[in-house]
Amino acid sequence: MAEISLARALNRALSDALADDPDVLVYGEDVGALGGVFRVTDGLAAAFGEDRCFDSPLAEAAIVGTAVGMAMYGQRPVVEMQFDAFALPAFEQVVSHVAKMRNRTRGRVELPLVIRVPYGGGIGAVEHHSDSSEAYFTHTPGLRVVTPATPADGYSMLREAIECPDPVVFLEPKRRYWATAELDLPARTEPMDRAVVRRAGGDVTLIAYGPMVATALEAAEAGRREGRDIEVVDLRSLAPFDEETVVSSVRRTGRAVVVHEASTFGGYGAEVAARVTERCFHYLEAPVLRVGGLDIPYPPPKLEEYHLPGVDRILDAVDRLQWESEWVEGSADGRSTRQHTGVGA
């Protein structure tokens, strides 16, 4: 086994896909000779030629638009949006064509394309380079939206995304590009549409994805030293949502906190919290809480540590989950009442 970074695992997945399938193409801004700003495509143009891995103009709508045409004619394009916010100029193509082609043609035309998007903060970059726009994509029916948190998942999920007959938005947590793990490649992990339990626990479930999985695991370890037995669920797939794994965990622990980098208001965590509440209401000991980025445009690099969720903010939410509360019977206005006295209520 060798120490493999997430970036290296993604590079190997692209290389193996290009070698195995002549219909696979890789292109985007600076992905050819430069190998991408994060070097995820390093060496691919030299190995497979400029017909299989090449640079595009600085025109994201054109990148996705041409990928739609290629996929309609049987090729499997893998395109890169250089940074998360750079995907927004291509959003009309994604929503109006990528997401709708199968339904528009009553299933006759598949669209096997992958849109790779480095996303999230934590690398000291500025706005447009640090955004978390997953909610825009997950709100669009017709898209699969996935995000790996480990090198093994990076390899396995990207290979599966490229083999998928439907369009996949592949969100890559760039603050974890250089995180390593010991593994042998090629690797095959759980199917990309399934969540996994990264750490077992019995008191509370932390639900995280992408860059926040490692942070949630750090919080779980810190919580253990404070007497909390914390379970961590890595969603991996944001759309579709693996309700079965999440519900099973929360029904066992009775408490849940959703963690993500994106701004909390209207964020993906709101959907998760709503679904958990709907399916686990009679099992919950406390309301489902969310820990996310502040409801502000992404801050300057020196201030991002205050914007991004960290161990202390996660454990503060865990502490507000009504650990010392109880139900109190009473009466008011001639009616019987039952009130929760929890500190986090």
Side-chain angles (χ1 to χ4, degrees):
M1 302 179 77
E3 286 284 332
I4 304 290
S5 68
L6 174 60
R8 176 59 186 152
L10 295 168
N11 176 275
R12 173 70 182 275
L14 292 169
S15 178
D16 288 353
L18 285 162
D20 290 348
D21 187 346
D23 289 327
V24 173
L25 301 167
V26 176
Y27 66 101
E29 296 160 0
D30 295 323
V31 306
L34 180 65
V37 293
F38 297 105
R39 303 299 186 267
V40 172
T41 57
D42 188 35
L44 299 182
F48 296 96
E50 294 182 352
D51 291 336
R52 304 284 306 283
C53 179
F54 53 89
D55 293 331
S56 70
L58 303 181
E60 290 80 8
I63 295 171
V64 175
T66 54
V68 170
M70 292 180 183
M72 289 176 68
Y73 281 89
Q75 294 183 299
R76 291 183 178 273
V78 182
V79 299
E80 178 181 300
M81 301 287 105
Q82 200 165 64
F83 289 94
D84 182 273
F86 293 5
L88 298 181
F91 200 57
E92 192 276 335
Q93 289 286 339
V94 174
V95 173
S96 298
H97 303 295
V98 173
K100 293 181 171 61
M101 189 60 68
R102 177 186 282 277
N103 188 65
R104 181 181 298 152
T105 61
R106 298 183 180 181
R108 289 191 294 270
V109 177
E110 297 178 340
L111 217 56
L113 70 87
V114 177
I115 303 173
R116 295 181 40 243
V117 184
Y119 81 116
I123 63 168
V126 295
E127 62 173 6
H128 298 113
H129 295 68
S130 303
D131 296 278
S132 298
S133 303
E134 59 267 30
Y136 296 142
F137 298 113
T138 59
H139 188 64
T140 304
L143 298 176
R144 292 176 180 269
V145 184
V146 302
T147 177
T150 68
D153 266 356
Y155 179 90
S156 181
M157 293 171 67
L158 184 53
R159 290 299 306 270
E160 192 175 350
I162 295 170
E163 295 165 359
C164 181
D166 294 315
V168 179
V169 176
F170 196 89
L171 300 174
E172 300 170 3
K174 54 181 173 288
R175 68 189 296 187
R176 306 300 179 193
Y177 270 143
W178 302 279
T180 62
E182 285 195 352
L183 74 154
D184 289 324
L185 295 177
R188 185 62 81 174
T189 59
E190 295 291 317
M192 69 176 182
D193 59 353
R194 298 291 294 182
V196 297
V197 176
R198 293 289 180 202
R199 185 185 194 279
D203 291 341
V204 55
T205 301
L206 295 183
I207 304 168
Y209 54 88
M212 282 291 102
V213 172
T215 308
L217 289 169
E218 291 176 27
E221 180 58 27
R224 182 189 62 79
R225 294 192 289 272
E226 298 176 2
R228 305 289 194 208
D229 188 19
I230 298 175
E231 183 152 300
V232 176
V233 173
D234 175 3
L235 289 181
R236 302 170 80 241
S237 175
L238 309 187
F241 174 67
D242 180 6
E243 194 171 86
E244 179 182 356
T245 300
V246 174
V247 166
S248 174
S249 174
V250 177
R251 285 186 176 183
R252 280 191 296 100
T253 63
R255 295 176 171 87
V257 177
V258 189
V259 185
H260 57 58
E261 283 193 12
S263 297
T264 306
F265 184 85
Y268 183 76
E271 175 64 25
V272 176
R275 284 180 175 251
V276 169
T277 301
E278 290 169 358
R279 294 296 309 281
C280 305
F281 183 77
H282 295 290
Y283 298 82
L284 290 173
E285 299 287 344
V288 179
L289 299 183
R290 292 170 292 155
V291 179
L294 305 178
D295 296 324
I296 58 172
Y298 203 85
K302 291 184 178 179
L303 299 177
E304 69 175 348
E305 65 177 297
Y306 303 105
H307 173 72
L308 298 172
V311 169
D312 288 344
R313 285 175 60 192
I314 294 172
L315 291 182
D316 178 66
V318 170
D319 286 343
R320 289 187 287 117
L321 289 173
Q322 301 183 168
W323 299 96
E324 298 174 355
S325 63
E326 60 182 5
W327 292 97
V328 176
E329 305 290 344
S331 63
D333 300 328
R335 297 177 300 170
S336 296
T337 63
R338 190 166 183 261
Q339 184 175 10
H340 211 290
T341 63
V343 294

